[in-house]
Amino acid sequence: MSRLLLTRATVLDGIHGPASGHTVVVEDGRITHVGPDTEAPQGADGDRVVDLAGRTLMPGMWTCHFHATYHELGAKPNVPYGNDFPPSYQALVAAKNLHTALEHGYTGVVSAGGSNEVEPGIKRAIEDGLVPGPRFRPSGRELSTTGHANDAVPWHWHMPAPGAVRVCDGADGFRLGVREQIKRGAEVVKLFVTGGHGTPGPKDSVEMTRDELAAAIDTAHARGALIRGHLVNKPAIMLALELGIDIVDHCDAMDDEVIEALVETGAFVVPSLHFPKHFLELMGDGLGFNADAIRADLAHMYETIPKAQAAGVRFVLGDDYGAVGFPHGLYGRELRLYTEHAGITPLEIIGWATRNGADLARRGADLGTIESGKIADMIVVDGDPLADIGLLADHKPTAVLKGGTVVAGVLPHS
């Protein structure tokens, strides 16, 4: 079988700093060799040899808070949340958004909720080759209680429930809700545990009881699914960590005690600061009293994230792209935000995007780093992103490889 030899690469393997003058060999979709050019196997008949001429070769990235079905969500305020388009239309939106992520170098995506259980079908379409897309862990409707922050739309005279939400009440209600979503193909269950962080509900509200939260987490784990929660205030964060939640979305009240619990449990954190920062810059004091609160939350997180990073908290990328005024495709601006405002180094943020993302998706054994034996999901960057994060933040990669096949961009001519 023919091989792909990527020579004279600067390899950023997701573990160490850059290594220049390296060759990476790909065969049958997997990496079979990584090492200095001087130790590389010779090309044979049928092999493709590509001289990267010093370009950076790094693992494909993961975005781990993704709403594939969302497009200008919230632009129609009188429409039930997530029913702004019919499910067939939402499937096309999801396919487009996932392809957009792939073009930007995100070869892996983990969902944080989607309307009308559309996402599992899109995953199958990608795997069957009907549409191009990244490796995808789909979700279903977001689960929470009657009247919670995203159940605040007007009652619509017995029209169908909001397409992005399934309301549950009581421990048994959440057991049923989680089982139902997993039956319909969800691999990630999303809970709304608190208000705050872009929702109509106050950030100090706790919208699930301890029994409800425990039932949801236990049921998801019993069926092999990941479970995540919209978690903003400290009591709810600490309770969710105690009960074993896998992913904390937002974590706005992170402090030393929360950091300690995150390290002890190994839960992942998606700060998703790009969304509030974007709207603060867009509207400023036009946000009203929320503007000062958002500024304070951002300042707190900018100060706390480096402490948490140093302590060993596992951060990943992702945000609420697809909300009104916040389109898919802006993903790279997250990289700039965390490096410029939170003091995270480019090497650390690339670790969030690669190794940590694959670990969250439970694919760390075969993805997330460039090592012999791993699947060849990689991106080629024209330059050094450690010296200029803008090469990732502001531009699509030169080439995106999924399983050793170029799926976006082009490799340099050999």
Side-chain angles (χ1 to χ4, degrees):
M1 181 171 291
S2 62
R3 300 174 299 174
L4 173 64
L5 283 74
L6 302 170
T7 67
R8 289 212 298 157
T10 299
V11 175
L12 200 55
D13 63 11
I15 305 171
H16 310 98
S20 60
H22 270 47
T23 292
V24 174
V25 180
V26 177
E27 185 174 0
D28 195 23
R30 288 190 178 266
I31 299 164
T32 58
H33 172 87
V34 182
D37 292 330
T38 54
E39 300 174 4
Q42 296 299 307
D45 289 345
D47 288 346
R48 183 182 181 191
V49 180
V50 177
D51 182 357
L52 292 185
R55 295 177 178 87
T56 297
L57 183 67
M58 57 177 273
M61 298 185 290
W62 288 77
T63 179
C64 296
H65 184 114
F66 199 87
H67 299 293
T69 61
Y70 289 4
H71 172 70
E72 290 294 290
L73 185 75
K76 302 174 182 179
N78 293 321
V79 173
Y81 175 58
N83 268 346
D84 36 2
F85 299 101
S88 55
Y89 189 99
Q90 290 172 340
L92 297 175
V93 168
K96 180 179 184 294
N97 289 335
L98 286 161
H99 188 227
T100 297
L102 184 66
E103 291 179 315
H104 284 80
Y106 296 87
T107 55
V109 169
V110 178
S111 175
S115 298
N116 296 302
E117 291 101 4
V118 163
E119 291 186 348
I122 300 302
K123 174 180 177 169
R124 181 171 178 179
I126 292 170
E127 292 181 343
D128 288 350
L130 293 179
V131 295
R135 304 185 193 279
F136 185 36
R137 292 207 68 156
S139 186
R141 299 171 193 246
E142 302 158 352
L143 307 184
S144 196
T145 49
T146 298
H148 81 282
N150 279 346
D151 189 32
V153 295
W155 181 59
H156 274 251
W157 310 105
H158 300 291
M159 287 176 63
V165 172
R166 187 200 188 285
V167 170
C168 308
D169 289 297
D172 287 342
F174 274 92
R175 289 189 188 96
L176 175 60
V178 170
R179 290 169 181 164
E180 180 182 86
Q181 294 304 300
I182 294 171
K183 175 183 177 180
R184 296 178 182 182
E187 299 175 13
V188 186
V189 175
K190 171 68 176 289
L191 306 175
F192 261 87
V193 188
T194 75
H197 202 101
T199 71
K203 66 181 182 181
D204 59 353
S205 66
V206 180
E207 299 178 327
M208 294 176 63
T209 68
R210 180 188 185 94
D211 287 347
E212 289 170 335
L213 187 54
I217 292 171
D218 290 348
T219 304
H221 287 166
R223 301 201 172 199
L226 291 165
I227 188 161
R228 66 192 310 155
H230 178 104
L231 289 153
V232 175
N233 65 67
K234 182 176 176 179
I237 294 168
M238 293 298 287
L239 175 60
L241 291 171
E242 176 192 340
L243 295 174
I245 203 150
D246 299 307
I247 307 163
V248 177
D249 289 312
H250 315 310
C251 206
D252 293 1
M254 186 165 54
D255 63 9
D256 289 346
E257 189 177 6
V258 171
I259 290 170
E260 184 179 353
L262 287 165
V263 173
E264 181 180 347
T265 62
F268 291 86
V269 176
V270 193
S272 59
L273 300 183
H274 187 196
F275 180 73
K277 180 177 182 293
H278 175 82
F279 282 99
L280 187 63
E281 292 175 343
L282 191 68
M283 300 180 66
D285 289 333
L287 286 168
F289 70 91
N290 286 325
D292 287 340
I294 291 172
R295 289 189 185 100
D297 286 343
L298 288 172
H300 169 74
M301 290 298 279
Y302 293 158
E303 180 180 353
T304 307
I305 285 173
K307 293 169 59 178
Q309 172 76 18
V313 172
R314 299 193 291 179
F315 288 103
V316 290
L317 298 178
D319 218 315
D320 287 310
Y321 304 104
V324 59
F326 194 58
H328 281 272
L330 301 181
Y331 321 117
R333 297 184 188 179
E334 282 183 78
L335 304 170
R336 189 179 293 285
L337 183 156
Y338 292 113
T339 54
E340 292 186 355
H341 295 279
I344 301 302
T345 69
L347 185 59
E348 289 171 334
I349 202 71
I350 288 171
W352 293 18
T354 57
R355 184 179 62 254
N356 287 5
D359 285 345
L360 179 150
R362 298 175 178 168
R363 297 298 304 272
D366 55 9
L367 292 166
T369 59
I370 296 178
E371 298 178 82
S372 183
K374 289 204 168 184
I375 296 172
D377 286 8
M378 301 181 290
I379 63 175
V380 178
V381 181
D382 193 2
D384 179 7
L386 299 185
D388 179 9
I389 197 63
L391 296 172
L392 287 174
D394 304 330
H395 307 279
K396 295 178 182 178
T398 300
V400 180
L401 289 80
K402 180 184 173 189
T405 298
V406 177
V407 291
V410 294
L411 287 171
H413 294 296
S414 54

